[in-house]
Amino acid sequence: MAKVTRDDVARLAGTSTAVVSYVINNGPRPVAPATRERVLAAIKTLGYRPDRVAQAMASRRTDLIGMIVPDARQPFFAEMAHAVERAAADRGKMVLVGNSDYRDEREIHYLRAFLGMRVAGLILVSQGMSERAAQEIEAWDARVVLLHERPEALDDVAVVTDDIGGAQLATRHLLEHGHEYVACLGGVENTPAVGDPVADHEEGWRRAMLESGRSVEGRLFQAPYNRYDAYQVALKILAGPDRPPAIFCSTDDQAIGVLRAARELRLDVPGDLAVAGFDDVKEAALTDPPLTTVSSDRPAMARAAVDLVLDDGLRVAGSRRERVRQFPSALIVRRSCGCDGQ
């Protein structure tokens, strides 16, 4: 059987192929209701299916949005990717997700792959973008929205949460329980000082400690962001002679590792050790005890990122304040800090 074409639809509907295109693509020109109904009826009768590949070649854009995250195995990034997928579906788009594994070369690999596929836009969660990655984006003249943090290497729009303020909230809350000090489980040695949320979490902790008159010397510990490696780090910290009375963790995944280490060492949380995290992943409410943490509106952030990557009119040139959409952080109080929370 011969393939049904747009010309066949136009002949049956008694209109031009341009009008058929306007109906299929919902524009760019309006079509009279009666004519639209004839075209839709012809499409149904003939069983016509638009050639999306041909459409992409003609428009130089597909119905795809590329998204690059550091590690989709981590709950925060998995939940963010899911929120972006739902927001994209509401706009008639699909999402391709790639994992950079916190490696510059992997990030550049997916940048080239997705941009080469002529995605409608790219949502990038970077761990601190390299100059090479920024140059790659500039070379493709791509629509890119930074999500979760805005690296200084790329002067583009971004959707972020108040990482510094959220970390201050959590640290202050732990201090209000009367602890001598709060230790911080931060990032790894190569965590970028600028352009990475964990660096901002460390900065928020540092500000809260210093404003309370407490020293931060020797109280910041390096740890990978995942629970498994953070658990190993926590075992050493908590088994040592200078065990901290409270720990603020830069990610909930780290905090989950700390809770597991505390249980293994028979430390009561929050009696012997108060713990707070950052991200409010769904699992945080199910830990034992439930984890006090910092939350942000991920669905709203995902919608904003998708809108920005698809709508040129929203991408304004101006100050950083105009280009960066910052969502507030909120402290979610549960029992791991010592409160009678959720």
Side-chain angles (χ1 to χ4, degrees), residues 4-323:
V4 177
T5 67
R6 195 166 300 190
D7 288 336
D8 297 325
V9 174
R11 277 193 294 271
L12 183 59
T15 187
S16 68
T17 55
V19 170
V20 173
S21 179
Y22 300 154
V23 172
I24 293 171
N25 297 308
N26 198 27
R29 295 184 179 180
V31 177
T35 304
R36 174 179 292 274
E37 289 303 318
R38 291 204 314 273
V39 171
L40 292 175
I43 289 173
K44 183 176 181 180
T45 299
L46 296 172
Y48 174 67
R49 295 291 181 268
D51 188 335
R52 295 299 183 188
V53 174
Q55 286 181 317
M57 294 294 288
S59 66
R60 301 187 64 82
R61 297 291 179 192
T62 66
D63 286 333
L64 302 172
I65 293 175
M67 183 176 185
I68 304 174
V69 299
D71 188 352
R73 294 172 300 180
Q74 292 179 234
F76 174 84
F77 297 123
E79 291 180 19
M80 184 62 82
H82 185 259
V84 167
E85 186 175 18
R86 294 186 65 177
D90 290 340
R91 297 290 304 270
K93 304 294 183 182
M94 295 182 292
V95 180
L96 297 175
V97 179
N99 291 269
S100 69
D101 291 330
Y102 295 97
R103 293 159 53 195
D104 289 342
E105 63 270 22
R106 293 291 294 172
E107 187 169 272
I108 292 170
H109 164 77
Y110 278 113
L111 280 171
R112 290 173 176 168
F114 288 163
L115 295 175
M117 293 176 186
R118 294 177 177 171
V119 293
L122 187 67
I123 295 175
L124 175 59
V125 183
S126 181
Q127 75 280 8
M129 186 182 298
S130 67
E131 188 63 32
R132 285 177 59 209
Q135 291 173 353
E136 195 73 31
I137 291 172
E138 294 294 339
W140 282 88
D141 189 26
R143 300 181 185 182
V144 178
V145 171
L146 290 306
L147 180 60
H148 191 36
E149 190 49 82
R150 179 177 181 266
E152 295 298 326
L154 189 66
D155 189 24
D156 214 328
V157 293
V159 177
V160 302
T161 190
D162 183 5
D163 289 295
I164 293 177
Q168 285 181 284
L169 285 174
T171 305
R172 287 170 183 161
H173 184 76
L174 290 173
L175 290 171
E176 287 168 359
H177 277 278
H179 298 298
E180 181 183 351
Y181 69 92
V182 176
C184 177
L185 212 59
V188 293
E189 184 176 358
N190 61 350
T191 297
V194 177
D196 186 272
V198 169
D200 284 349
H201 298 170
E202 293 175 4
E203 178 61 23
W205 162 80
R206 186 177 292 105
R207 292 184 186 182
M209 287 281 286
L210 294 177
E211 72 185 12
S212 70
R214 292 169 169 85
S215 172
V216 298
E217 188 68 30
R219 292 169 177 174
L220 172 62
F221 299 93
Q222 293 181 346
Y225 309 134
N226 68 81
R227 68 188 67 184
Y228 310 103
D229 293 325
Y231 155 75
Q232 297 292 341
V233 173
L235 280 177
K236 296 177 182 178
I237 296 172
L238 300 181
D242 299 319
R243 172 172 54 83
I247 297 180
F248 163 67
C249 300
S250 294
T251 72
D252 282 353
D253 231 26
Q254 289 176 327
I256 291 170
V258 170
L259 292 176
R260 177 65 181 85
R263 171 164 293 194
E264 186 169 313
L265 295 171
R266 300 185 182 279
L267 296 175
D268 177 70
V269 177
D272 298 320
L273 175 72
V275 180
F278 200 113
D279 290 332
D280 193 28
V281 299
K282 292 186 182 300
E283 194 175 350
L286 302 178
T287 57
D288 186 18
L291 181 65
T292 292
T293 184
V294 178
S295 176
S296 58
D297 191 342
R298 278 192 285 280
M301 292 176 67
R303 288 194 298 272
V306 170
D307 286 344
L308 283 167
V309 86
L310 294 179
D311 299 333
D312 280 333
L314 296 176
R315 295 164 58 80
V316 294
S319 67
R320 174 182 170 88
R321 182 181 301 275
E322 291 173 322
R323 284 197 297 269

